[in-house]
Amino acid sequence: MNQFQYVKPSDPKTAIAIVSKEPAAKFIAGGTNLLDLMKKGIVNPEKLVDINNLPFKSIEKASNVFRLGALVLNSDAAEHELVKKHVPLLSMALNAGASPQLRNMATIGGNIMQRTRCSYFYDTVMPCNKREPGSGCGALKGYNRMHAIYNNTESCIAVHPSDMCVALSALNAAVVIQGTGGARRVSINDFFRLPADHPEKDSNLLKGEMITAVEIPANTFGKNIYYLKIRDRSSYAFALVSVAVALDISGGKIRDARLSLGGVAHKPWRLYQSEKFLVGKQVSQANFLEASKLSIQNAKGYEHNSFKLKLVPKAIVEALQKASSNA
Ligand code: SF4
């Protein structure tokens, strides 16, 4: 690992000023992904700006929004009474992620900022456009079992690894960002990028900007939610496919529906067409099947991951069944 400086400012302005001015400075909070990247020489910051003293550790509910500070630990958020009561989908998704030890260190902001787990990204002797733009993509013709089926380019077919962000996508959460020019809010569905011509960029966050919170607008989903994660082992594994479902059901009819997928694209993948189909329909297996068929219209498999084309619709149907049967 390269040598680096370490500072721990106590106010956001100072932290943001340092990372804005210094090209090789980076924020660090839980460090559960960044330290791995540094040990492998994938990122080499000259200065780490520890943000753990900053005042972003609260969980608050107002009448129209639920707010989680960026430094709330994943484990604290997952088990918090207000989260379990008002945004249970988020609690389910958080508990599906990583391991208890990692959830005890990882923060909400860090969960959003974690990098892909594509094995070629972490193997520095292999080509990887995300790690080294222009070098090629080792996964495209390599072992791509974990990779994307929804793409806008073949420059990178990596998937976003977070479970939490799939739930946040379904809940139309906003990422609250602070920079030298002030604060801004970006929908999580616009925060992450597709690879296009810049696979090295995961998100639309600008240099020096810091995530300070996540806001979830009030909703009417109640208990008809479910987070289904399909993976190779039952704990501490990334999703092959995951599905976040939130339904508003009244008298057996679906009044509102949200569906987002994980493990299939460079960002959490909202299924707007399937949602539109479900709204106004009765809760029924036939309607769930129809909605699931719409999900893979623009999907494309590669040598080792074509099974996802069958797995995705089946996972959607199962998640819809589970969500609609919650009392
Ligand atoms: Fe790199 Fe993306 Fe290709 Fe993986 S899929 S090797 S991260 S360019």
Side-chain angles (χ1 to χ4, degrees):
M1 200 190 304
N2 286 0
Q3 287 200 331
F4 56 88
Q5 289 182 321
Y6 171 85
V7 291
K8 194 170 185 180
S10 52
D11 67 283
K13 215 171 158 188
T14 305
I16 291 166
I18 296 169
V19 176
S20 302
K21 274 195 226 125
E22 300 186 28
K26 274 196 165 299
F27 297 122
I28 185 165
T32 55
N33 186 213
L34 182 58
L35 292 180
D36 284 345
L37 296 166
M38 289 170 65
K39 285 183 213 163
K40 287 175 183 285
I42 296 163
V43 294
N44 297 295
E46 287 170 10
K47 186 177 277 184
L48 285 184
V49 180
D50 187 334
I51 60 172
N52 282 297
N53 278 347
L54 305 189
F56 306 134
K57 295 183 180 169
S58 61
I59 297 178
E60 299 158 61
K61 186 191 171 303
S63 59
N64 59 350
V65 77
F66 196 96
R67 187 181 168 98
L68 291 122
L71 290 172
V72 173
L73 298 178
N74 285 200
S75 49
D76 289 347
E79 298 307 325
H80 198 281
E81 282 311 310
L82 283 177
V83 176
K84 287 201 279 191
K85 184 172 176 195
H86 298 286
V87 273
L89 181 62
L90 180 62
S91 174
M92 274 188 96
L94 280 164
N95 274 327
S99 64
Q101 291 89 342
L102 283 166
R103 294 197 293 272
N104 281 336
M105 283 300 291
T107 62
I108 297 292
N111 191 321
I112 295 171
M113 292 304 294
Q114 64 180 304
R115 312 288 318 262
T116 182
R117 293 324 198 270
C118 171
S119 54
Y120 298 96
F121 176 70
Y122 288 84
D123 186 344
T124 52
V125 300
M126 294 300 292
C128 172
N129 286 327
K130 185 176 280 298
R131 177 173 25 81
E132 197 181 328
S135 64
C137 171
L140 197 56
K141 296 247 165 17
Y143 189 55
N144 43 39
R145 181 170 178 270
M146 300 296 289
H147 289 72
I149 56 171
Y150 301 97
N151 295 302
N152 66 348
T153 173
E154 294 194 331
S155 61
C156 175
I157 57 169
V159 299
H160 186 71
S162 169
D163 292 292
M164 177 191 80
C165 292
V166 183
L168 292 178
S169 160
L171 294 167
N172 278 347
V175 183
V176 186
I177 297 164
Q178 182 92 35
T180 48
R184 65 185 180 115
R185 283 171 174 72
V186 181
S187 163
I188 192 132
N189 291 306
D190 299 324
F191 179 84
F192 296 111
R193 298 166 52 92
L194 287 175
D197 296 332
H198 288 286
E200 74 280 8
K201 292 183 183 172
D202 296 341
S203 76
N204 290 312
L205 198 71
L206 303 173
K207 173 73 178 155
E209 284 189 322
M210 174 195 286
I211 297 173
T212 59
V214 164
E215 291 181 345
I216 300 164
N219 60 66
T220 53
F221 296 123
K223 290 195 187 315
N224 289 123
I225 53 90
Y226 200 75
Y227 187 73
L228 176 69
K229 181 173 181 179
I230 296 169
R231 48 187 156 175
D232 285 331
R233 55 174 185 248
S234 60
S235 177
Y236 195 30
F238 293 96
L240 289 164
V241 169
S242 68
V243 190
V245 176
L247 299 172
D248 177 355
I249 299 171
S250 178
K253 199 170 177 179
I254 299 168
R255 297 198 303 189
D256 196 3
R258 304 273 180 79
L259 279 165
S260 194
L261 300 178
V264 293
H266 201 252
K267 58 191 278 187
W269 197 252
R270 269 292 281 276
L271 297 172
Y272 294 108
Q273 264 189 291
S274 303
E275 292 174 6
K276 199 171 161 198
F277 171 82
L278 286 169
V279 173
K281 301 282 190 326
Q282 290 297 123
V283 171
S284 75
Q285 179 76 357
N287 283 331
F288 292 169
L289 272 171
E290 211 49 47
S292 77
K293 281 184 203 158
L294 293 170
S295 68
I296 46 160
Q297 279 182 341
N298 299 314
K300 175 192 167 187
Y302 295 91
E303 186 178 355
H304 303 283
N305 74 348
S306 290
F307 70 94
K308 291 189 182 184
L309 300 176
K310 289 185 182 163
L311 187 58
V312 162
K314 286 180 191 298
I316 290 169
V317 171
E318 184 178 339
L320 284 166
Q321 285 171 338
K322 293 244 166 73
S324 59
S325 64
N326 281 344

